[in-house]
């Protein structure tokens, strides 16, 4: 089963998103720790990450390149309150899949669904 990791310092946001995706049938892990997020990626227990804009002492901009080095095929959905164009450009260059506003739960839900559909399609195309 494909895994979804929700990494955010905001306890309420993590819980709300986890409830949505657990109810939808996803295998969900939540954390507020960069170390735990990296561990989940290295163990390949998560293929899609919903990443808050900051947690621990790191920002998403700092963490995204590390996550991508651990798994270059990782699908990252950045969820933040801000829509600064320079920030969006920078994280897109780092290889995020999608940027969503934290308050738009429908958009986040659709981005996750699209991410898993994309992964499933890629896996189907690579079966011999």
């Amino acid at each position: 089963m494909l895994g979804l990791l929700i990494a955010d310092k905001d306890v309420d946001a993590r819980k709300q998103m986890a409830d949505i995706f657990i109810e939808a049938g996803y295998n969900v892990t939540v954390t507020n720790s960069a170390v735990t997020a990296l561990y989940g990626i290295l163990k390949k227990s998560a293929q899609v990450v919903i990443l808050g804009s900051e947690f621990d002492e790191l920002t998403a901009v700092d963490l995204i390149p590390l996550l991508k080095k651990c798994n270059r095929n990782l699908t990252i959905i950045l969820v933040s309150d801000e829509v600064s164009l320079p920030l969006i450009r920078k994280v897109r260059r780092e290889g995020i899949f999608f940027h969503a506003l934290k308050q738009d739960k429908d958009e986040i839900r659709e981005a996750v669904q699209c991410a898993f559909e994309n992964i499933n399609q890629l896996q189907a195309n690579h079966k011999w």
Side-chain angles (χ1 to χ4, degrees):
M1 177 183 248
L2 296 175
L4 173 66
L5 174 65
I6 300 170
D8 195 328
K9 75 175 184 176
D10 183 338
V11 175
D12 292 331
R14 279 195 324 262
K15 181 174 179 357
Q16 287 174 2
M17 283 190 277
D19 289 345
I20 290 168
F21 293 111
I22 289 170
E23 186 176 304
Y26 292 96
N27 180 21
V28 177
T29 305
V30 296
T31 187
N32 65 346
S33 162
V35 171
T36 304
L38 288 166
Y39 181 76
I41 304 312
L42 287 170
K43 295 291 283 179
K44 302 217 186 284
S45 59
Q47 291 73 40
V48 176
V49 175
I50 296 176
L51 185 63
S53 56
E54 62 181 57
F55 55 99
D56 286 348
E57 298 293 320
L58 296 173
T59 65
V61 174
D62 298 325
L63 191 57
I64 289 169
L66 293 172
L67 295 174
K68 286 299 226 174
K69 283 183 182 177
C70 292
N71 179 353
R72 65 183 174 86
N73 297 319
L74 184 65
T75 303
I76 300 172
I77 299 168
L78 177 63
V79 177
S80 66
D81 292 325
E82 60 185 72
V83 289
S84 142
L85 193 55
L87 171 72
I88 301 301
R89 285 183 179 151
K90 182 168 177 67
V91 294
R92 284 199 176 146
R93 279 193 305 271
E94 296 295 344
I96 68 164
F97 178 75
F98 193 79
H99 173 262
L101 294 176
K102 189 175 266 190
Q103 63 272 18
D104 195 340
K105 302 300 185 220
D106 289 334
E107 185 176 49
I108 296 168
R109 186 180 302 116
E110 289 175 19
V112 168
Q113 181 179 352
C114 183
F116 279 110
E117 287 172 0
N118 191 34
I119 290 169
N120 288 333
Q121 186 175 20
L122 287 172
Q123 288 178 343
N125 290 339
H126 285 93
K127 289 187 179 176
W128 306 103

